[in-house]
Amino acid sequence: MKDEQTRSARTGGRPRQIETADIVRAGRELGLRNLSMNAVAARLGVTSTALYRHVDGRWGLERLVGESLLAELDLHDDPADGPVPHLLSTALQLRAFLLRHPGLTSYVQTLFPRGEGGRRLLAAAAGSLARRGYSTDAGIVLSAAVAAVAIGYAATEEVQRERAGELDAQRRGAEEALRADADLGEAHRALPTITPDEYVRLWLGAAIRGFVEAAPPGRPVDEIRAALRAAGEGQ
């Protein structure tokens, strides 16, 4: 409070008044990756003390900005799609959205759902699967599993994008070493070249087919759990 009064005295007026919408706007301009109480306060021209009237610290600030972004995610659902193509489409849409908003991947990976935006998405995902024969609880379990895999891919890609310049040189060195390796070189040279998008689509599709095999429409959650346990134990 003293800092705010001092700033007011220097400017010859009362402390600047801010609203929650101002914090959201400043936070989105900074991006979740660069978000902090001090950074938002500096962007708004106030002290961090002023922010505490609207958010309860860093977690509250992240939730405010993160949920604002998630509110814009509208996943297309083609009713003609069966469970596998539907879940694959949803996962790819989620991945693309996360990559367009650096830092959002970490937000949803740390804790989901945190607020209204996340709950809306979870309810929509469960509802889409309910229309395909799943109970609400089974729909939550299945959609969460698929989302976790998609988020994991997005997290890896985001790190790679952040370090793209140095990563290219390191990748070339690693590939040269593989080609020269007596045990791995020949097999590596025979591997096809695929784009990151194709790679993610292929492996996401394989994972989703496995999920749906363990959790087909109509199977109760306890039976899904038993099927997953049996698969993990090799039975």
Side-chain angles (χ1 to χ4, degrees):
M1 184 65 69
K2 183 176 179 180
D3 290 343
E4 197 165 333
Q5 291 172 344
T6 301
R7 185 181 300 225
S8 173
R10 286 201 305 266
T11 57
R14 288 185 296 179
R16 179 182 175 186
Q17 299 299 307
I18 61 171
E19 304 294 336
T20 301
D22 298 317
I23 299 174
V24 173
R25 173 181 53 78
R28 289 180 59 131
E29 290 171 355
L30 287 165
L32 279 167
R33 186 190 298 163
N34 303 313
L35 195 66
S36 71
M37 297 290 284
N38 288 336
V40 171
R43 197 171 191 89
L44 292 174
V46 299
T47 65
S48 58
T49 302
L51 301 187
Y52 282 97
R53 300 193 182 102
H54 303 274
V55 296
D56 55 348
R58 172 60 186 262
W59 280 88
L61 179 61
E62 283 186 349
R63 184 170 59 251
L64 193 65
V65 177
E67 295 303 307
S68 167
L69 291 169
L70 288 177
E72 298 178 358
L73 176 54
D74 186 14
L75 297 171
H76 174 70
D77 178 6
D78 186 341
D81 285 342
V84 171
H86 163 69
L87 288 167
L88 178 58
S89 173
T90 298
L92 292 173
Q93 291 178 69
L94 174 60
R95 164 184 169 259
F97 186 84
L98 293 174
L99 292 176
R100 288 198 298 271
H101 299 281
L104 186 58
T105 300
S106 177
Y107 174 78
V108 297
Q109 197 173 40
T110 301
L111 177 62
F112 182 86
R114 297 197 205 183
E116 183 178 350
R119 290 192 297 271
R120 176 187 65 83
L121 288 172
L122 188 58
S128 292
L129 288 174
R131 291 190 290 274
R132 292 169 170 86
Y134 287 88
S135 63
T136 299
D137 57 350
I140 290 173
V141 169
L142 183 55
S143 59
V146 171
V149 178
I151 290 167
Y153 277 118
T156 299
E157 292 177 271
E158 187 170 307
V159 171
Q160 291 175 339
R161 289 184 179 188
E162 290 174 9
R163 306 182 64 182
E166 60 187 70
L167 181 62
D168 286 343
Q170 294 297 321
R171 183 182 288 115
R172 286 193 297 271
E175 289 179 350
E176 289 172 3
L178 273 173
R179 285 193 295 269
D181 189 278
D183 297 318
L184 302 174
E186 183 176 353
H188 178 72
R189 288 190 293 272
L191 291 174
T193 300
I194 61 175
T195 66
D197 285 346
E198 184 183 2
Y199 178 87
V200 171
R201 177 182 286 274
L202 289 172
W203 286 108
L204 263 178
I208 289 169
R209 283 190 292 274
F211 290 155
V212 172
E213 182 178 339
R219 177 173 285 182
V221 170
D222 57 346
E223 293 183 14
I224 293 173
R225 182 181 180 186
L228 292 171
R229 182 184 294 115
E233 295 172 352
Q235 297 178 6

